[in-house]
Amino acid sequence: MIQVDNLSKAFNNVTVLHDISVTFEKGKTNLIIGRSGSGKTVFMKCLVGLHEVNAGNILYDNRNFVKMDFRERKQIRREIGMLFQGSALFDSLTVEENVMFPLNMFSAMSPAEKRARVNTCLNRVNLADVNKLYPGELSGGMKKRVAIARAIVENPRYLFCDEPNSGLDPMTSLVIDDLISEITHEYDITTVINTHDMNSVMEIGEKVIFIHEGNKEWEGTREEILDTGNKNLDDFVFASNLAKKIKSLSR
Amino acid sequence: MNFFSTFGRYVVLLSRVFAKPEKPKIYLQQTIREMESLGLNSVGIVIIISIFIGAVITLQTRYNLESSWIPLYLIGLTARDTLLLEFSSTMVGLILAGKVGSNIASEIGTMRITEQIDALEMMGINSASYLILPKIIATMVFNPFLTLISMFVGLVGGWMAVILTGALPSSDYVFGIQYLFVPFYITYALVKTVVYAFIITSVSAFYGYNVQGGALEVGRASTRGVVYSSILILLADLVLTQLMLA
Ligand SMILES: Nc1ncnc2c1ncn2[C@@H]1O[C@H](COP(=O)(O)OP(=O)(O)O)[C@@H](O)[C@H]1O
Ligand SMILES: [Mg+2]
């Protein structure tokens, strides 16, 4: 469980996040939704310390990340897996080397154990026979899978995904969403996902937070999201003509 | 003001670069990789340029010293000292600033904008040290060999020019390049080379590491890395010359 209390973040006196409080639950997919530029990425990077917050606390199972020094934070980060928007695979390394990278840096495993662990993770994301390929030789969806495999290779307790569907077609998006959701339940991970994709919300959103211009405007479940009375959220949820049409039909 | 804040950030980055490495063995592997990509891959260009410049210096000196009372072996001596004192260290340094500097700045800059650096940090790795330290060490160790190669090849280039054009007897040239040889000039050139290697790598890495934005900014960072390391090389040349030769 991750608890965020009154988090604020500004860049050069421009406030990007206003006083956000939220709890992300263990073993669930927690979705942060909002328009492009609403502050989702900044929020996620604040949670993991890639940005320093201006105010607020972040509790990782009651351990306050904000108050920690460099060393203690590093320890927490070892419990975090992160999936970046563009996958952020290392271009100069093969798929296998990418996934093995965290193990090479930190684990005391033997080379055979490492290889076995890498293959387990690649199998888990349904990738086979790509071990020796370079990221440049993979499709967008495959890159995402490799990045997921790398994120889970050290058995994280927390998983952060920034726009896991960006750049993917709707079918592949579903596959990636389901994969993240399955992994979350299988390993009982606290998963936080940034997205602006309503399909993801309806597919895997167990807990949903709506951010608008840096403010948390709503939180609830995907069942409740269609009928909130929040104007900004309605604009977001029913952005497409298709959605508007369906809504008007259901009235 | 801007200069001091940039310099301050450069120093802060260096202090992270020189933090104690987490896994020395992995750093060693990286350093060897970088020697190959930054050093070995520059041997070709250094050889080509040095051969031609050695030849041109020799011919120019010859045609500028037409008067008969100047002994011809002085042409070999002049070519040698030009190579040893300035060309094989500073000119080669400037060429490497262009080749290696832009390579480093764009590689690290691309890693920044594609969040690969964030990914390293998230794994608990000191990205500054992991990415930059092996490059600094690799170039500081390898570039002196480039300088030595340049000196040797430059002298050979001069000799080939002498033979091909018959501008002077090759025996005069060969005598000249050995005459009044000052071994300290080589030390001086190698010291300069090591300092330049540090400048090129750390300055261009600094501009790459601090990229914000997209491909355009990576291009800009790469240009800045080359320009500022070139200027700093020339400044260092002046300072080291005064310190070592005065
Ligand atoms: N490093 C930064 N410096 C200044 N402003 C930033 C920085 N990163 C993001 N912002 C601003 O913060 C706001 C939120 O951005 P972001 O979190 O990337 O949005 P999104 O919800 O699309 O992920 C944007 O207005 C953006 O311009
Ligand atoms: Mg974003």
Side-chain angles (χ1 to χ4, degrees):
Chain A
M1 189 186 79
I2 305 169
Q3 190 187 331
V4 182
D5 293 328
N6 308 101
L7 185 152
S8 294
K9 171 68 186 170
F11 291 106
N12 311 317
N13 301 323
V14 180
T15 306
V16 174
L17 297 173
H18 306 265
D19 203 24
I20 296 184
S21 298
V22 60
T23 301
F24 299 114
E25 288 162 33
K26 185 174 190 228
K28 282 193 182 175
T29 48
N30 302 271
L31 266 59
I32 302 172
I33 61 171
R35 295 164 68 155
S36 204
S38 55
K40 302 182 295 294
T41 299
V42 172
F43 183 56
M44 188 170 275
K45 290 196 173 176
C46 284
L47 296 183
V48 299
L50 289 172
H51 290 315
E52 287 302 320
V53 302
N54 294 80
N57 291 310
I58 303 160
L59 304 171
Y60 281 85
D61 290 299
N62 294 319
R63 298 167 295 173
N64 192 344
F65 190 73
V66 175
K67 299 264 154 40
M68 288 180 186
D69 68 17
F70 169 72
R71 254 167 209 291
E72 294 166 309
R73 281 189 180 193
K74 212 159 129 173
Q75 214 45 48
I76 298 275
R77 280 187 177 174
R78 305 252 350 251
E79 302 174 10
I80 296 176
M82 190 150 180
L83 181 61
F84 289 90
Q85 187 163 352
S87 296
L89 299 176
F90 303 123
D91 301 315
S92 58
L93 303 181
T94 62
V95 165
E96 180 175 84
E97 289 168 332
N98 261 287
V99 180
M100 203 183 278
F101 193 88
L103 301 179
N104 283 338
M105 272 334 248
F106 297 110
S107 89
M109 289 181 187
S110 72
E113 287 170 324
K114 283 188 222 166
R115 221 167 300 125
R117 177 70 192 145
V118 167
N119 285 330
T120 307
C121 293
L122 285 173
N123 283 336
R124 184 63 199 82
V125 297
N126 305 320
L127 280 177
D129 301 327
V130 295
N131 292 39
K132 300 296 172 203
L133 297 183
Y134 285 88
E137 302 169 311
L138 304 178
S139 70
M142 287 161 96
K143 280 187 202 166
K144 286 275 148 89
R145 290 178 205 225
V146 176
I148 293 173
R150 185 177 70 180
I152 60 172
V153 76
E154 287 202 290
N155 284 318
R157 294 173 66 180
Y158 315 98
L159 181 62
F160 292 91
C161 309
D162 193 9
E163 308 262 5
N165 296 339
S166 72
L168 301 183
D169 62 87
M171 295 292 287
T172 313
S173 296
L174 271 183
V175 174
I176 296 290
D177 281 344
D178 289 340
L179 190 56
I180 293 171
S181 168
E182 285 163 25
I183 286 170
T184 300
H185 298 129
E186 213 171 294
Y187 304 116
D188 205 18
I189 301 174
T190 306
T191 297
V192 181
I193 302 167
N194 278 350
T195 185
H196 58 242
D197 183 354
M198 271 312 289
N199 287 332
S200 303
V201 174
M202 300 322 282
E203 184 77 11
I204 60 164
E206 290 176 276
K207 172 164 186 171
V208 183
I209 292 111
F210 174 62
I211 295 187
H212 184 73
E213 292 176 0
N215 294 293
K216 185 181 108 178
E217 292 213 342
W218 182 83
E219 90 170 62
T221 64
R222 65 185 145 174
E223 288 79 20
E224 298 160 346
I225 203 166
L226 300 176
D227 210 4
T228 61
N230 179 315
K231 168 86 173 56
N232 292 326
L233 181 53
D234 272 357
D235 286 348
F236 179 85
V237 172
F238 303 103
S240 73
N241 282 330
L242 176 65
K244 284 192 192 103
K245 190 135 201 176
I246 294 170
K247 190 181 188 193
S248 70
L249 286 177
S250 68
R251 282 282 149 87
Chain B
M1 186 55 219
N2 198 0
F3 166 78
F4 288 109
S5 87
T6 304
F7 184 72
R9 285 189 301 139
Y10 173 72
V11 172
V12 169
L13 179 66
L14 284 186
S15 71
R16 288 194 59 210
V17 168
F18 288 103
K20 192 170 173 290
E22 284 116 351
K23 274 225 163 170
K25 193 172 142 235
I26 290 189
Y27 276 66
L28 189 66
Q29 286 170 1
Q30 285 296 105
T31 306
I32 290 166
R33 266 193 205 208
E34 298 294 358
M35 279 193 191
E36 189 182 333
S37 84
L38 302 176
L40 267 186
N41 283 341
S42 304
V43 170
I45 190 169
V46 166
I47 287 181
I48 291 172
I49 290 172
S50 303
I51 282 200
F52 278 94
I53 297 290
V56 170
I57 292 173
T58 306
L59 294 182
Q60 279 180 353
T61 314
R62 172 69 188 100
Y63 299 135
N64 282 325
L65 296 180
E66 282 295 354
S67 47
S68 56
W69 54 269
I70 293 180
L72 286 174
Y73 63 78
L74 281 185
I75 293 160
L77 182 148
T78 308
R80 179 197 72 204
D81 283 355
T82 311
L83 287 167
L84 260 54
L85 285 171
E86 196 61 9
F87 178 79
S88 294
S89 50
T90 306
M91 290 305 291
V92 168
L94 291 171
I95 289 158
L96 291 178
K99 180 177 183 289
V100 174
S102 61
N103 175 317
I104 291 175
S106 52
E107 178 189 332
I108 296 182
T110 303
M111 293 189 74
R112 166 63 76 193
I113 63 166
T114 56
E115 298 181 308
Q116 292 177 50
I117 292 184
D118 285 341
L120 284 170
E121 290 289 327
M122 282 312 299
M123 293 173 193
I125 293 163
N126 176 346
S127 61
S129 170
Y130 177 78
L131 292 176
I132 302 175
L133 187 60
K135 293 187 199 299
I136 292 184
I137 293 177
T139 51
M140 287 175 75
V141 170
F142 199 92
N143 287 13
F145 291 103
L146 292 177
T147 297
L148 292 174
I149 290 172
S150 163
M151 289 171 178
F152 177 76
V153 172
L155 291 175
V156 172
W159 180 69
M160 280 163 49
V162 164
I163 299 222
L164 289 175
T165 62
L168 65 150
S170 103
S171 58
D172 278 324
Y173 177 81
V174 172
F175 177 76
I177 61 174
Q178 301 170 65
Y179 185 64
L180 288 181
F181 171 61
V182 184
F184 180 72
Y185 286 179
I186 293 193
T187 314
Y188 160 75
L190 294 182
V191 169
K192 289 204 293 184
T193 302
V194 172
V195 173
Y196 299 160
F198 180 79
I199 290 173
I200 294 167
T201 314
S202 63
V203 169
S204 44
F206 168 75
Y207 283 102
Y209 196 83
N210 284 303
V211 167
Q212 280 184 347
L216 197 63
E217 283 77 11
V218 173
R220 271 196 206 123
S222 152
T223 308
R224 282 206 187 115
V226 174
V227 169
Y228 288 110
S229 38
S230 302
I231 293 172
L232 287 172
I233 283 175
L234 295 172
L235 271 176
D237 192 19
L238 199 66
V239 171
L240 288 172
T241 302
Q242 181 61 24
L243 284 177
M244 295 183 73
L245 292 190

